Amino acid sequence: MMPPFLLSATLHKVGTIPVQFESDVVRARNLGSLLAQEIKFDKTSSIRIGTAVSELSRNMIEHANGGQIDFYVAKRRDSSDGVVIVFKDRGQGIQQLDEIRNGSFVSKKGMGVGLSGSQRLMDDFDIQTQAGKGTEITIAKWLAPFTISITEKTLEAIQTAFSKTIERGDNSLVETINNQNNELLFLLKNLQERNEEIEIINKELEETNKGVLALNRELEDKALAIEKAKQQAEQANRAKSDFLAHMSHEIRTPMNSILGFTELLLKTDLTKSQKQYTENVNSAGKALLEIINDILDFSKIEAGKLDLDIIETDIVEVLNQTIDIIKYSATNKGLELLLSIQPDIPRKAMLDPLRLKQILINLLSNAIKFTDKGEVEIKVTFNIQDDNKITYHFSVRDTGIGITEEQRERLFKAFSQADGSTTRKFGGTGLGLVISNLLVEKMNSSLLFDSEWGKGSNFHFSIETEFNQQIIANSLEIKHKKVLVLDNNSNNLKNIAEHFDRWGVEYSLCESSLNALFELQADKFELFICNFAMPDLGGLEIISHIRNKLQITNESMKIAIMHQASDEDQINDILRKGDITYKLMKPVKADDLLALVSDSIRSEKAENKISVTDRNCNEDIESGTITDKKVILIAEDVEMNMLLIKVLVTNILPNVEIIEARNGREALEIVKQKHLDLVLMDVQMPEMDGMEATRNIRLLDLERAKSLPIIALTAGALQEEKDKAMNAGMNDFLTKPIDLDHLKNMLDKHLCGCSGN
């Protein structure tokens, strides 16, 4: 009788092996693990399946004089696929079946323990037994939800490979391990310093593999030797990752000078050609820096040294910041960028905002890169699980070229791209999706995608976490309660309508300019939101018609222009003429839309205002009055970096006195002798590094040494490096290449008491 958990499954047999000797147990275990790996189970699940097969196979030998094992791939209609294994013996049956099922049976020979333990390892477990006729045990393990189904092509390949593995017998185990060795050698071939170590490990693995051929009672001892060799290989792989991280760190140091000096050069008087050449150098440097950052992140994740920094995070603010970073890339390609957030979304949740933003930027950048026309949309919805658990669903959809079946196979492989043609039209390292996938996995989720060649792709993932149930109250009063919205993009209109429904705003939506004009003649509206770049009748023509032909004044109806980032200057000119009151940059953010209908959105003049605190601080910085008596120590061993930092600081504080130190020991002596206002301390220096120098400064018996602001300068950009700097006694952290605005904010914060950004 078929177990109930297989009623909705279709079984595809991949192989059968007899079990009579101990060597068959080992062979069955390995075949079970290999099958699990082939259908993309993770390492832990593969080990569990292999262990269950081993326990149940050994029971067949000890209690039923052997039997056979049938291996299946199971496909389910409405759920995930998986592996099913059936054990059939010719023994006397199991008499204590009820006791075994409820876990109370104890056998001196171990049958109860083996069955109970195997049952805990699997998702589904069924025993059918009959006295004198034997026992049939069926076990099943299912892939995680949302995992892509096993295709017919993949299934055929697994069946063929499994049959060949059974035919080859024990040699297949050696071949499997040799294949792993070859892959490891391929990954490490460019690291010449590690070649000798890898060759030694490879020889040890080959020697160990020969011992596997024996497959006797000493196999477990040999398995320990294999595990030890595997750990050594993983250690070598981590060493490779550390080497990559170190190389990336070293490359970032000269990149600091390249980017810093080119940005300074762009602010000088240059000819048109000189400016173009300098901009090209600066753009190339930034592109190279992005590649270095990708390699650094990849190597750290691979080495297991990248940890998430989980803090209370405003989801909407992260999305707004992400959109601000990416919107110019979309505008430059003429793409419509959409931001769709479920209106009643709980904003505060426990997440790593930096890594979430990194994932979304990678996905959006890819979407823009592979889309020539149409739109790119980032969408976020949610489901509340219980009082403090929530699942956020993120998706990035595009109308680009899509992904073929062949390209799917290498989509998440390191240093590989879906575009493998010789023209390499799209460029890049191919690490963006790999890093995003690894980060999503660290968040206990999976990066999935749907795609159709020529029609676009949709990448999506979910994050389950704790959230703050307190709803952020809306203190704004809706003043424009009847609104007409004109946009030729239906998805943007849908997003706006969802928010208006929640806020109780009465609205009409139009996708053509003529329909909007008919609406304005037929009804009265308090606010008209008009897309600037309409295909049938442009925004300026519509506004002119409204004000001059329809005689609708600014007092009776306000007009807001929706526009792309590239139209900012032109929109500001129109705004100053007075025909329109507001501007709303695409993609439309919910907070900006709420401010618009509440009549609290900042005007062009208001945008130029800054707070009293910031204004005073900025005026002091600009006039140089706070720098009259300021003395700054710069500790940096690289000459070019020293020069760059001096120029940057002097540009911000023209009258500052700068003292130089070439290592931490010199910096320590200067602190003992001089009264300083601030120290910019490089982390990696000869003789004494910045960390040790800072610790020694804090130990000095000088009051000024204990309160002296010390800011770390480092080419490392990881949270763990920032934590080390803070633990050493530093006050703040600046990464190289140094951004002028970040440096200015840091000086504001520590020299004039402003908070900085």
Side-chain angles (χ1 to χ4, degrees):
M1 184 175 66
M2 180 176 288
F5 56 82
L6 294 181
L7 293 178
S8 65
T10 302
L11 300 183
H12 301 272
K13 194 169 186 177
V14 295
T16 299
I17 64 168
V19 176
Q20 188 171 3
F21 306 105
E22 183 64 27
S23 59
D24 295 329
V25 173
V26 177
R27 188 176 178 212
R29 176 192 179 114
N30 283 283
L31 286 170
S33 298
L34 288 172
L35 178 59
Q37 294 171 21
E38 284 296 323
I39 63 174
K40 307 306 181 185
F41 276 102
D42 57 41
K43 182 178 179 182
T44 301
S45 297
S46 299
I47 292 173
R48 288 177 175 173
I49 292 170
T51 302
V53 172
S54 177
E55 288 292 318
L56 296 175
S57 301
R58 186 167 284 111
N59 275 338
M60 292 171 69
I61 295 174
E62 294 179 353
H63 302 284
N65 296 321
Q68 74 175 43
I69 304 176
D70 296 325
F71 296 87
Y72 298 89
V73 172
K75 292 180 64 62
R76 297 194 290 185
R77 289 190 297 273
D78 301 320
S79 189
S80 57
D81 300 337
V83 59
V84 173
I85 304 173
V86 181
F87 302 81
K88 301 176 182 177
D89 67 45
R90 46 183 177 268
Q92 296 302 311
I94 302 173
Q95 297 179 357
Q96 302 87 355
L97 186 58
D98 291 337
E99 296 177 17
I100 291 173
R101 283 174 172 164
N102 63 33
S104 62
F105 177 72
V106 179
S107 169
K108 294 181 181 180
K109 294 184 178 181
M111 176 180 284
V113 176
L115 290 174
S116 300
S118 301
Q119 186 171 1
R120 287 191 295 270
L121 291 171
M122 305 305 292
D123 294 332
D124 288 308
F125 191 94
D126 179 77
I127 301 177
Q128 301 292 332
T129 187
Q130 190 173 359
K133 293 187 178 181
T135 301
E136 180 173 311
I137 299 176
T138 305
I139 63 175
K141 193 77 172 176
W142 307 109
L143 291 164
F146 310 113
T147 303
I148 297 174
S149 299
I150 300 168
T151 64
E152 294 297 327
K153 183 178 179 181
T154 302
L155 179 59
E156 290 176 7
I158 291 173
Q159 289 173 321
T160 302
F162 204 81
S163 297
K164 290 182 179 179
T165 301
I166 293 175
E167 290 173 7
R168 290 197 301 268
D170 301 334
N171 291 331
S172 63
L173 300 178
V174 179
E175 182 180 341
T176 299
I177 298 174
N178 282 333
N179 286 337
Q180 293 172 351
N181 296 340
N182 292 333
E183 182 180 352
L184 178 63
L185 289 172
F186 176 76
L187 290 173
L188 302 180
K189 66 179 180 180
N190 292 324
L191 300 178
Q192 296 179 358
E193 292 85 351
R194 308 298 184 195
N195 281 348
E196 183 177 354
E197 181 181 356
I198 296 299
E199 290 174 1
I200 293 173
I201 293 172
N202 190 38
K203 290 177 182 178
E204 291 177 356
L205 285 172
E206 289 176 353
E207 290 298 321
T208 306
N209 295 342
K210 294 176 183 178
V212 178
L213 294 172
L215 290 176
N216 52 29
R217 288 285 186 177
E218 298 178 359
L219 184 62
E220 290 189 6
D221 293 337
K222 295 188 182 297
L224 291 175
I226 293 174
E227 183 63 27
K228 181 179 179 181
K230 180 184 173 185
Q231 290 174 0
Q232 291 175 329
E234 290 174 348
Q235 183 179 359
N237 197 41
R238 287 193 294 269
K240 176 209 70 174
S241 297
D242 288 342
F243 172 76
L244 285 175
H246 180 71
M247 287 298 296
S248 300
H249 186 284
E250 291 300 314
I251 295 172
R252 285 172 66 93
T253 298
M255 284 303 303
N256 176 51
S257 297
I258 294 171
L259 293 178
F261 280 116
T262 53
E263 287 176 0
L264 289 173
L265 188 58
L266 285 169
K267 295 179 181 179
T268 64
D269 293 330
L270 300 173
T271 66
K272 186 176 181 180
S273 295
Q274 289 171 337
K275 184 177 181 181
Q276 181 181 355
Y277 298 157
T278 307
E279 286 176 344
N280 289 343
V281 172
N282 190 261
S283 296
K286 289 179 178 177
L288 178 58
L289 184 62
E290 288 182 8
I291 294 172
I292 294 166
N293 288 337
D294 280 347
I295 295 173
L296 178 63
D297 278 343
F298 177 71
S299 62
K300 285 297 181 182
I301 295 172
E302 225 185 17
K305 293 184 177 180
L306 191 148
D307 296 321
L308 299 178
D309 184 18
I310 305 298
I311 59 175
E312 186 173 76
T313 301
D314 187 332
I315 294 285
V316 175
E317 183 60 28
V318 169
L319 291 165
N320 288 342
Q321 292 172 5
T322 301
I323 285 295
D324 286 339
I325 291 171
I326 213 73
K327 62 186 177 186
Y328 293 99
S329 300
T331 300
N332 290 339
K333 292 192 70 174
L335 301 176
E336 185 86 25
L337 185 60
L338 302 173
L339 174 61
S340 176
I341 305 175
Q342 196 168 332
D344 54 344
I345 190 170
R347 296 179 62 144
K348 297 295 182 70
M350 301 304 294
L351 293 164
D352 184 330
L354 179 66
R355 296 305 175 185
L356 176 59
K357 191 189 305 181
Q358 183 178 3
I359 294 168
L360 296 176
I361 289 173
N362 279 340
L363 295 179
L364 285 166
S365 297
N366 260 16
I368 293 170
K369 180 193 296 186
F370 295 104
T371 304
D372 290 329
K373 61 181 180 179
E375 63 189 32
V376 172
E377 179 185 44
I378 178 171
K379 185 174 183 178
V380 186
T381 58
F382 70 93
N383 294 108
I384 295 177
Q385 310 299 329
D386 53 38
D387 290 343
N388 68 336
K389 288 287 186 181
I390 189 171
T391 300
Y392 292 101
H393 307 282
F394 299 87
S395 68
V396 174
R397 177 186 60 83
D398 65 64
T399 56
I401 61 174
I403 302 167
T404 66
E405 287 295 329
E406 181 184 358
Q407 292 166 349
R408 292 168 185 261
E409 298 297 325
R410 57 177 182 270
L411 199 60
F412 294 123
K413 292 182 180 179
F415 304 102
S416 175
Q417 290 187 319
D419 170 46
S421 64
T422 54
T423 59
R424 294 189 55 77
K425 174 182 176 183
F426 299 103
T429 62
L431 281 177
L433 277 181
V434 177
I435 292 170
S436 297
N437 187 40
L438 292 172
L439 289 174
V440 169
E441 287 178 353
K442 285 188 74 70
M443 297 176 181
N444 299 317
S445 185
S446 299
L447 181 57
L448 308 173
F449 68 93
D450 309 301
S451 184
E452 186 175 350
W453 177 247
K455 293 188 178 181
S457 304
N458 183 18
F459 285 81
H460 50 97
F461 63 96
S462 301
I463 299 176
E464 182 179 321
T465 186
E466 298 177 0
F467 76 108
N468 188 337
Q469 296 188 63
Q470 182 178 1
I471 299 175
I472 300 176
N474 173 25
S475 60
L476 299 177
E477 178 186 352
I478 303 297
K479 294 185 178 179
H480 301 308
K481 296 184 179 180
K482 190 170 183 180
V483 183
L484 175 64
V485 186
L486 169 63
D487 194 352
N488 58 307
N489 188 291
S490 59
N491 287 320
N492 191 39
L493 289 177
K494 179 183 176 183
N495 293 339
I496 292 174
E498 287 178 352
H499 291 293
F500 280 174
D501 286 335
R502 182 168 182 248
W503 301 331
V505 175
E506 183 182 349
Y507 60 88
S508 293
L509 306 177
C510 293
E511 292 188 40
S512 79
S513 302
L514 292 178
N515 286 344
L517 292 175
F518 287 141
E519 287 274 354
L520 289 170
Q521 292 178 27
D523 203 352
K524 290 185 178 181
F525 296 91
E526 299 172 26
L527 175 66
F528 175 42
I529 302 175
C530 174
N531 183 30
F532 178 64
M534 289 296 295
D536 51 353
L537 193 63
L540 291 181
E541 295 176 272
I542 299 171
I543 294 168
S544 176
H545 192 89
I546 290 170
R547 297 304 190 206
N548 299 321
K549 301 290 184 181
L550 301 182
Q551 294 294 309
I552 301 176
T553 64
N554 189 50
E555 287 73 23
S556 60
M557 184 184 74
K558 307 293 185 185
I559 297 179
I561 284 286
M562 286 188 296
H563 65 93
Q564 301 288 358
S566 57
D567 300 322
E568 178 79 0
D569 292 338
Q570 189 176 357
I571 295 298
N572 287 338
D573 290 339
I574 299 169
L575 190 65
R576 281 189 281 269
K577 292 178 182 177
D579 285 338
I580 62 174
T581 309
Y582 312 110
K583 61 179 181 177
L584 193 62
M585 187 179 294
K586 288 187 169 185
V588 176
K589 301 174 184 174
D591 291 344
D592 292 343
L593 187 63
L594 178 60
L596 177 62
V597 296
S598 303
D599 200 23
S600 61
I601 195 168
R602 294 182 300 174
S603 68
E604 177 67 16
K605 292 181 179 179
E607 284 182 350
N608 295 326
K609 294 181 181 179
I610 55 177
S611 68
V612 175
T613 304
D614 287 342
R615 184 174 65 252
N616 291 341
C617 178
N618 290 336
E619 288 174 355
D620 288 344
I621 289 289
E622 295 298 331
S623 64
T625 57
I626 73 163
T627 66
D628 291 342
K629 297 181 181 179
K630 300 301 179 184
V631 181
I632 294 179
L633 169 65
I634 301 176
E636 169 65 66
D637 62 305
V638 179
E639 186 65 34
M640 291 295 290
N641 283 345
M642 173 66 80
L643 176 59
L644 174 62
I645 298 168
K646 286 172 60 179
V647 171
L648 293 175
V649 172
T650 305
N651 281 350
I652 298 170
L653 306 172
N655 299 321
V656 68
E657 178 186 348
I658 293 177
I659 301 175
E660 301 178 19
R662 302 299 171 180
N663 56 59
R665 195 176 303 283
E666 288 184 16
L668 178 60
E669 292 303 317
I670 292 171
V671 172
K672 292 178 182 178
Q673 301 168 16
K674 297 276 188 176
H675 180 85
L676 305 170
D677 294 293
L678 184 137
V679 177
L680 295 172
M681 182 78 75
D682 186 31
V683 171
Q684 292 192 4
M685 292 184 290
E687 294 192 40
M688 180 185 291
D689 64 33
M691 302 287 193
E692 186 179 353
T694 300
R695 283 190 287 267
N696 287 329
I697 289 171
R698 297 309 188 199
L699 292 174
L700 292 176
D701 190 20
L702 296 170
E703 187 61 34
R704 65 176 185 271
K706 292 178 172 53
S707 60
L708 176 65
I710 302 177
I711 300 172
L713 300 177
T714 177
L718 295 178
Q719 182 62 38
E720 63 187 67
E721 297 182 30
K722 182 176 181 179
D723 292 340
K724 288 179 182 177
M726 299 298 107
N727 292 335
M730 295 182 176
N731 301 86
D732 242 315
F733 188 86
L734 269 176
T735 57
K736 300 175 183 177
I738 295 173
D739 180 83
L740 184 61
D741 289 335
H742 290 169
L743 177 61
K744 181 179 180 298
N745 288 335
M746 202 67 71
L747 296 178
D748 288 354
K749 178 179 178 180
H750 293 287
L751 291 180
C752 71
C754 297
S755 61
N757 293 325

